[in-house]
Amino acid sequence: MIDNPYYTDAVHQDFELISIGRLELEEGGVIPDVKLAVRTWGTLNEAKDNAILIPTWYSGTHQIWADAYVGEGHALDPSSYFIVSVNQIGGGLSTSPHNTDDDSISMSRFPKVRIGDDVVAQERLLREHFGIETLALVVGGSMGAQQTYEWAVRFPAKVLRAAPIAGTAKNTPHDFLFTETLNEQIWSDPGWNGGEYASHEDVADGLVRQAHLWATMGLSTEFWKQEKWAALGFESREAFLTQFLEPYFAAMDPNALLATAWKWQRGDVSRHTGGDLAAALGRITAKTFVMPISEDMFFPVRDCAAEQALVPGSELRVIDDVHGHLGLFGVDPGFIPQVDAALTDLLATPVAADDRSEQAASV
Amino acid sequence: MIDNPYYTDAVHQDFELISIGRLELEEGGVIPDVKLAVRTWGTLNEAKDNAILIPTWYSGTHQIWADAYVGEGHALDPSSYFIVSVNQIGGGLSTSPHNTDDDSISMSRFPKVRIGDDVVAQERLLREHFGIETLALVVGGSMGAQQTYEWAVRFPAKVLRAAPIAGTAKNTPHDFLFTETLNEQIWSDPGWNGGEYASHEDVADGLVRQAHLWATMGLSTEFWKQEKWAALGFESREAFLTQFLEPYFAAMDPNALLATAWKWQRGDVSRHTGGDLAAALGRITAKTFVMPISEDMFFPVRDCAAEQALVPGSELRVIDDVHGHLGLFGVDPGFIPQVDAALTDLLATPVAADDRSEQAASV
């Protein structure tokens, strides 16, 4: 185990570690005791039909949702909904290479985890720990969108509404290659040592190089041209890099980034249908809003729109933001209002289960 | 000096090394004897008014112009024009870190060279060696576009027509950062050794990682989604990487890539006008076609269009190509025809100097 101050209460407030027991993985490995880092807001009602699930993205945790997306006045309002954010397996807060006390899976021995494994773990958590059988909404960004699609395809009856933001149901070849270049920044750092470093600080150079790739592909050409970093309170391009992006990634655990990157690269709901993406997305019964970000350089709108066209009854709601993919941080004044507007519409949309409940109530 | 087989006649045909003597550089350094690697096609006419100059791009040489752009049936037709392609200083064929026998500037001691230095060297070459005072056209791609703009701003009376393809007059912040990530792949390779390696093969890992960045930013998301590598004769995405992109960059000299990257990062014609880009581009008298590539991820059309709007009498001619920036290789069947059509139009456009010649002839 490695102590990394990033993955503590000092940075990530109010989460609970909940054990869901042994998890057999799609790739054949096993995690003997999965502990999921879970943040909740609000109260589950008696009917247990007001639950919203938020899975997390690469390098991200529940904290960004707490900081930017969830709260009174937002669509994700704890006064109406019981909101559960579950951090990814391997992502640094839930059971992960650096934080497990189980030597059989620590550090370089951590098994390969897929998007489907996370979703299976989340479903078990919700059912066994909270007694939740259906979700009013699953909403996630980037890898959270991958998990959102996986939920909607794997458990269609359990997902009433879905909002994949800035992510795809089937990872694209370009995304696979981009993610590989992120990995290479870590692998090429001698301090990484095949995954057996003593501290994440041994891999500082590689993590900083990875931050620089996020600077070019994660933001957008317009972000830099319009010097949007100034509105974020930085004096210069260089200050934005050295005071924000570099320390942001340098604080993280390299093996956690690699474990989740591996998962990201292989996200693909068509694994359920022998590679037929249309068939997989055709299974979705959730009312779905597909929400790409206009300037996203690696989940471009057209990739998301092509998938949206395959989801029955879905709508495309493009979020306009010059920040590109990292617009997900919610720093543009216009970003969260657009998300809120779309999610408010989505949550107000009647779905099949409402009809069933109403029919049941009227009997 | 390092022997690198890439920079020889085996790969680069029919070029001549021409000395232009001592060159004092904008950054304060000196190259005591600049040898420019020059390829020519066709014959200079008596009036010496049929010359076309082609500067070269990052990692590129005159050879791609020989292979794809120049020849009978193309706009760049040697039966009508005297075409001169001059390889960049520091780029591997002209005087460069690895090939100079002058210890004072070899390898890590190579001085910083700017776009303006190249253009000054080219002007001297054309005037002193060939007796050329005006150019019917300057055309170049990417860093060749930077040099094209520099020519048109620095020597407006000498440039009758200009065609910057997939490049900008003032490098963008995003481009600076992207180029820095290319550099970091080399710098982070222990074999680079501060620029004092014994063979470019010592830096093979870094060069391969750089090739992978080109895979994601140099091509386009659509290139990969549409599996355009298949049309190029490769069996798989992996084969395209390992049989083409990786060996392509791994063959090159790391210091040459770094020297030209430094130059690329700082290309800026507004250095002539105290930072006023509109004033600099307003100096251009050449008839100019600005030719971005539709899917270019780091010289996006809008960046080029914004500059085009500042060039008097210019036209925007977007080249439609899903290959993105590396469409410059001319591999898409539609690419070269679009370039030829635009350059044919441009060469057929009367310019001020024609009027002057006609007036002179009629006197």
Side-chain angles (χ1 to χ4, degrees):
Chain A
M1 284 179 66
I2 291 180
D3 279 332
N4 180 327
Y6 184 70
Y7 303 104
T8 61
D9 283 340
V11 180
H12 295 94
Q13 285 89 52
D14 303 324
F15 71 92
E16 189 183 357
L17 280 176
I18 304 175
S19 171
I20 59 153
R22 175 185 173 89
L23 187 68
E24 300 196 354
L25 303 166
E26 291 187 21
E27 288 294 305
V30 172
I31 300 181
D33 181 21
V34 173
K35 293 186 185 69
L36 294 177
V38 180
R39 168 79 194 262
T40 66
W41 299 261
T43 308
L44 187 62
N45 63 14
E46 257 184 69
K48 299 195 172 186
D49 66 0
N50 72 330
I52 291 176
L53 174 69
I54 306 174
T56 59
W57 59 65
Y58 176 84
S59 85
T61 67
H62 65 273
Q63 191 61 43
I64 182 67
W65 290 86
D67 293 341
Y69 292 82
V70 176
E72 221 173 313
H74 289 296
L76 303 174
D77 188 340
S79 67
S80 302
Y81 295 100
F82 178 61
I83 303 168
V84 185
S85 181
V86 184
N87 290 278
Q88 281 190 54
I89 299 169
L93 285 173
S94 297
T95 299
S96 295
H98 84 281
N99 71 7
T100 177
D101 54 9
D102 183 339
D103 272 353
S104 73
I105 59 167
S106 76
M107 301 299 278
S108 63
R109 290 170 298 288
F110 201 75
K112 297 287 184 257
V113 180
R114 281 190 175 269
I115 294 288
D117 296 316
D118 273 279
V119 168
V120 164
Q122 290 159 15
E123 193 274 342
R124 193 195 297 177
L125 169 85
L126 293 177
R127 184 167 35 80
E128 296 187 350
H129 190 81
F130 296 107
I132 295 170
E133 294 285 351
T134 61
L135 290 160
L137 170 67
V138 183
V139 55
S142 200
M143 285 189 72
Q146 291 184 311
Q147 293 165 76
T148 299
Y149 275 118
E150 179 75 19
W151 260 98
V153 171
R154 185 184 281 257
F155 299 118
K158 286 177 173 262
V159 183
L160 302 188
R161 298 176 191 82
I165 305 174
T168 48
K170 179 185 168 83
N171 201 41
T172 66
H174 179 269
D175 254 31
F176 184 97
L177 294 170
F178 167 55
T179 312
E180 197 76 350
T181 66
L182 297 176
N183 294 342
E184 286 178 348
Q185 307 312 308
I186 294 174
W187 293 332
S188 63
D189 189 327
W192 179 62
N193 189 30
E196 295 295 334
Y197 45 86
S199 159
H200 70 286
E201 293 177 358
D202 298 347
V203 197
D205 290 350
L207 293 171
V208 164
R209 287 199 297 274
Q210 173 165 150
H212 294 170
L213 295 189
W214 282 105
T216 57
M217 195 74 87
L219 293 151
S220 75
T221 60
E222 281 299 297
F223 169 86
W224 294 107
K225 192 160 70 174
Q226 296 180 22
E227 302 189 345
K228 283 285 184 182
W229 39 259
L232 305 180
F234 296 92
E235 281 187 0
S236 65
R237 179 174 79 197
E238 195 58 22
F240 179 75
L241 291 173
T242 59
Q243 294 166 27
F244 171 60
L245 267 187
E246 293 177 11
Y248 181 75
F249 283 97
M252 295 180 191
D253 182 71
N255 284 340
L257 293 175
L258 292 171
T260 47
W262 191 92
K263 200 192 289 183
W264 168 9
Q265 291 179 297
R266 291 160 183 84
D268 180 5
V269 296
S270 78
R271 286 163 54 81
H272 295 290
T273 49
D276 185 338
L277 183 62
L281 293 175
R283 285 189 184 180
I284 295 178
T285 54
K287 176 65 183 178
T288 302
F289 280 10
V290 172
M291 298 166 60
I293 300 173
S294 58
E295 292 279 346
D296 198 317
M297 291 183 72
F298 59 97
F299 288 112
V301 171
R302 61 184 164 198
D303 285 358
C304 300
E307 294 187 338
Q308 180 265 318
L310 301 175
V311 180
S314 64
E315 295 179 29
L316 183 70
R317 297 281 182 116
V318 178
I319 304 169
D320 189 39
D321 190 349
V322 84
H323 290 76
H325 192 71
L326 297 190
L328 284 170
F329 282 117
V331 291
D332 189 277
F335 184 87
I336 294 293
Q338 292 178 76
V339 171
D340 276 335
L343 294 184
T344 299
D345 283 359
L346 181 56
L347 285 164
T349 305
V351 291
D354 296 334
D355 301 339
R356 286 201 296 271
S357 320
E358 281 161 26
Q359 284 162 14
S362 66
V363 169
Chain B
M1 286 180 65
I2 291 180
D3 279 331
N4 180 328
Y6 184 70
Y7 303 104
T8 62
D9 284 340
V11 180
H12 296 95
Q13 283 91 53
D14 303 323
F15 70 93
E16 191 182 356
L17 279 175
I18 304 175
S19 171
I20 60 153
R22 176 183 171 90
L23 187 68
E24 300 195 354
L25 302 166
E26 291 186 23
E27 288 294 304
V30 172
I31 299 180
D33 181 21
V34 173
K35 293 186 185 70
L36 294 176
V38 180
R39 169 77 194 263
T40 67
W41 299 262
T43 308
L44 187 61
N45 63 14
E46 257 184 68
K48 300 194 172 186
D49 65 1
N50 70 332
I52 292 176
L53 175 68
I54 305 173
T56 58
W57 60 65
Y58 177 84
S59 84
T61 68
H62 65 272
Q63 192 61 41
I64 183 66
W65 290 87
D67 293 340
Y69 292 81
V70 176
E72 220 173 313
H74 289 295
L76 302 174
D77 187 341
S79 66
S80 302
Y81 295 100
F82 179 61
I83 303 168
V84 184
S85 180
V86 184
N87 290 277
Q88 282 190 54
I89 299 168
L93 285 173
S94 296
T95 299
S96 297
H98 84 279
N99 70 9
T100 177
D101 54 10
D102 182 338
D103 272 352
S104 72
I105 58 167
S106 76
M107 300 298 280
S108 63
R109 291 170 298 288
F110 200 75
K112 297 287 185 256
V113 180
R114 281 190 175 270
I115 294 287
D117 296 316
D118 273 279
V119 168
V120 164
Q122 290 160 15
E123 192 275 342
R124 193 195 296 176
L125 168 86
L126 293 176
R127 185 167 34 81
E128 295 187 351
H129 191 82
F130 295 108
I132 295 169
E133 294 284 350
T134 61
L135 289 160
L137 170 68
V138 182
V139 54
S142 199
M143 285 190 72
Q146 290 185 310
Q147 294 164 77
T148 299
Y149 275 118
E150 179 75 19
W151 261 97
V153 171
R154 186 183 280 258
F155 301 118
K158 287 177 172 261
V159 182
L160 302 187
R161 298 175 192 83
I165 305 174
T168 49
K170 179 185 168 82
N171 201 42
T172 66
H174 179 269
D175 253 31
F176 184 97
L177 294 170
F178 167 55
T179 312
E180 198 76 350
T181 65
L182 298 176
N183 294 342
E184 286 178 348
Q185 308 312 308
I186 294 173
W187 293 332
S188 63
D189 189 328
W192 179 62
N193 189 30
E196 295 295 334
Y197 46 85
S199 159
H200 70 284
E201 293 176 359
D202 297 347
V203 197
D205 291 348
L207 293 171
V208 164
R209 286 198 298 273
Q210 174 165 150
H212 294 169
L213 294 190
W214 282 106
T216 57
M217 195 74 87
L219 293 150
S220 75
T221 59
E222 281 300 297
F223 170 86
W224 294 106
K225 192 161 70 175
Q226 296 179 22
E227 302 190 344
K228 282 287 184 180
W229 39 259
L232 305 180
F234 296 92
E235 281 187 0
S236 65
R237 179 174 79 196
E238 196 57 25
F240 179 75
L241 292 172
T242 59
Q243 294 165 26
F244 172 60
L245 268 187
E246 294 178 10
Y248 180 75
F249 283 97
M252 295 181 191
D253 181 72
N255 285 340
L257 292 175
L258 292 171
T260 47
W262 191 93
K263 200 190 289 181
W264 166 11
Q265 291 179 297
R266 290 158 184 85
D268 180 6
V269 296
S270 78
R271 285 163 55 81
H272 295 290
T273 50
D276 185 338
L277 183 63
L281 293 175
R283 286 188 182 180
I284 296 177
T285 54
K287 175 67 183 176
T288 302
F289 280 10
V290 172
M291 298 165 61
I293 299 172
S294 59
E295 293 278 346
D296 199 317
M297 291 183 71
F298 59 98
F299 288 112
V301 170
R302 62 184 164 197
D303 285 358
C304 300
E307 293 188 337
Q308 179 265 319
L310 301 174
V311 180
S314 64
E315 295 179 30
L316 184 69
R317 298 281 182 116
V318 178
I319 304 169
D320 189 39
D321 189 350
V322 83
H323 290 75
H325 192 71
L326 296 190
L328 284 170
F329 282 116
V331 291
D332 189 277
F335 183 88
I336 294 293
Q338 291 177 78
V339 171
D340 276 336
L343 295 183
T344 299
D345 283 359
L346 181 56
L347 286 164
T349 306
V351 290
D354 296 335
D355 302 339
R356 288 199 296 272
S357 320
E358 279 161 27
Q359 284 161 16
S362 67
V363 169

